């Protein structure tokens, strides 16, 4: 379906919400309100959708590769198997959204709010989840089970209470880094990492208080200065200082 931006706004103002399968390649929609819309299976590659309100919208199977999504609101949306390859999502909002199976390959995801989002089975190889400006990437209580986060930059992210069971974090950077003049560390307090692949991951200074690392692969992992108080280690023993 091909519609001009003006036509979309006109239809939306008249109560239309179904824009599924739409072609919006290289489109620009800035600071608009299109909440509750259906853009499933849409082609939005290279679009610029900054600070637009798409809360409670359906973007399942949509292609948002190389899109600019600075500060865009996708809260409580359905983005199952959406594609964000090489997209810039800095400071976007995905609270309580369903992102199961989404593709974030090489995406910039810094400063994004993923609180309580479902990110199970996502692919985020080489994705950048670091701090952005004054905002930390918030993945607290998110479901990242079986996600592929290999080589991702997760330094200073909030992952407390996150479900990372079976996740691939091979060579991921979760350690302390002086980024944006900040000394914040990655917080994995009470996170579940059962069976996760943390081989050769950098966890320098990370907070792992109460984390569950049972059956996790820590081969070659860097745990210098990591805080492991009450963490359950790979063989089931509880770490004590």
């Amino acid at each position: 379906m091909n519609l001009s931006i003006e036509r979309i706004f006109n239809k939306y103002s008249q109560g239309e919400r179904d824009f599924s399968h739409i072609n919006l390649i290289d489109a620009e929609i800035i600071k608009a309100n299109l909440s509750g819309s259906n853009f499933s299976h849409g082609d939005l590659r290279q679009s610029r959708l900054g600070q637009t309100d798409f809360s409670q919208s359906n973007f399942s199977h949509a292609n948002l590769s190389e899109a600019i999504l600075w500060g865009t609101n996708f809260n409580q949306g359905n983005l199952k198997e959406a594609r964000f390859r090489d997209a810039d999502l800095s400071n976007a909002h995905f609270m309580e959204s369903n992102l199961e199976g989404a593709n974030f390959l090489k995406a910039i995801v810094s400063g994004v709010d993923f609180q309580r989002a479902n990110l199970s089975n996502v692919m985020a190889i080489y994705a950048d989840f670091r701090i952005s400006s004054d905002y930390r990437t918030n993945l607290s209580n998110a479901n990242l089970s079986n996600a592929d986060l290999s080589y991702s930059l997760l330094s200073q992210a909030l992952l407390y209470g996150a479900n990372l069971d079976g996740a691939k974090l091979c060579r991921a950077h979760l350690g302390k880094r002086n980024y944006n003049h900040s000394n914040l560390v990655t917080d994995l307090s009470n996170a579940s990492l059962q069976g996760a692949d943390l081989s050769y991951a950098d966890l320098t200074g990370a907070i792992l208080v109460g984390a569950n690392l049972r059956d996790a692969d820590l081969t070659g992992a860097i745990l210098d200065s990591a805080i492991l108080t009450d963490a359950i280690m790979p063989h089931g023993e509880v770490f004590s200082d």
Side-chain angles (χ1 to χ4, degrees):
M1 179 170 63
N2 290 293
L3 288 174
S4 67
I5 302 301
E6 182 180 6
R7 185 68 175 145
I8 289 171
F9 288 144
N10 286 339
K11 282 180 168 289
Y12 187 87
S13 67
Q14 295 167 11
E16 177 66 57
R17 296 293 183 269
D18 187 3
F19 305 106
S20 57
H21 299 274
I22 198 166
N23 182 344
L24 284 174
I25 297 175
D26 199 31
E28 181 169 286
I29 302 174
I30 306 295
K31 296 183 179 180
N33 178 14
L34 290 167
S35 60
S37 297
N38 180 11
F39 287 93
S40 61
H41 299 274
D43 193 344
L44 297 97
R45 286 174 291 165
Q46 301 176 346
S47 56
R48 296 167 297 284
L49 307 172
Q51 299 182 55
T52 294
D53 185 358
F54 290 113
S55 58
Q56 299 182 329
S57 292
N58 184 358
F59 280 86
S60 62
H61 304 277
N63 191 347
L64 291 136
S65 297
E66 300 179 50
I68 305 298
L69 303 163
W70 299 337
T72 305
N73 183 358
F74 292 102
N75 287 342
Q76 297 180 325
N78 178 11
L79 298 109
K80 183 177 181 179
E81 297 187 24
R83 281 169 281 175
F84 296 97
R85 180 169 180 164
D86 292 301
D88 189 343
L89 299 99
S90 299
N91 302 334
H93 306 275
F94 290 91
M95 286 180 62
E96 300 179 352
S97 293
N98 180 17
L99 290 145
E100 181 183 358
N103 185 337
F104 290 96
L105 179 66
K106 296 184 180 179
I108 299 173
V109 204
S110 51
V112 174
D113 191 348
F114 287 112
Q115 288 185 75
R116 299 182 297 279
N118 180 10
L119 290 140
S120 61
N121 299 303
V122 301
M123 183 173 71
I125 301 171
Y126 287 108
D128 186 349
F129 288 86
R130 291 177 297 178
I131 192 170
S132 173
S133 183
D134 295 324
Y135 299 97
R136 296 177 76 178
T137 301
N138 190 345
L139 289 149
S140 58
N141 299 301
N143 179 10
L144 287 145
S145 58
N146 301 306
D148 191 342
L149 294 150
S150 304
Y151 298 91
S152 291
L153 299 172
L154 285 146
S155 301
Q156 303 170 328
L158 294 170
L159 286 151
Y160 56 82
N163 178 359
L164 288 147
D165 292 347
K168 295 179 182 178
L169 290 151
C170 176
R171 298 189 186 276
H173 294 275
L174 298 118
K176 183 176 181 179
R177 292 187 168 199
N178 188 5
Y179 185 71
N180 281 4
H181 307 291
S182 169
N183 288 314
L184 297 171
V185 296
T186 307
D187 189 348
L188 286 149
S189 300
N190 298 313
S192 184
L193 292 136
Q194 293 190 75
D197 180 2
L198 287 155
S199 56
Y200 303 98
D202 184 355
L203 289 148
T204 303
I207 301 171
L208 289 150
V209 175
N212 188 349
L213 293 155
R214 192 177 186 94
D215 297 321
D217 184 355
L218 294 173
T219 304
I222 302 171
L223 291 161
D224 296 347
S225 303
I227 303 172
L228 291 156
T229 306
D230 296 328
I232 300 173
M233 303 307 286
H235 297 295
E237 70 276 21
V238 177
F239 186 90
S240 59
D241 295 331

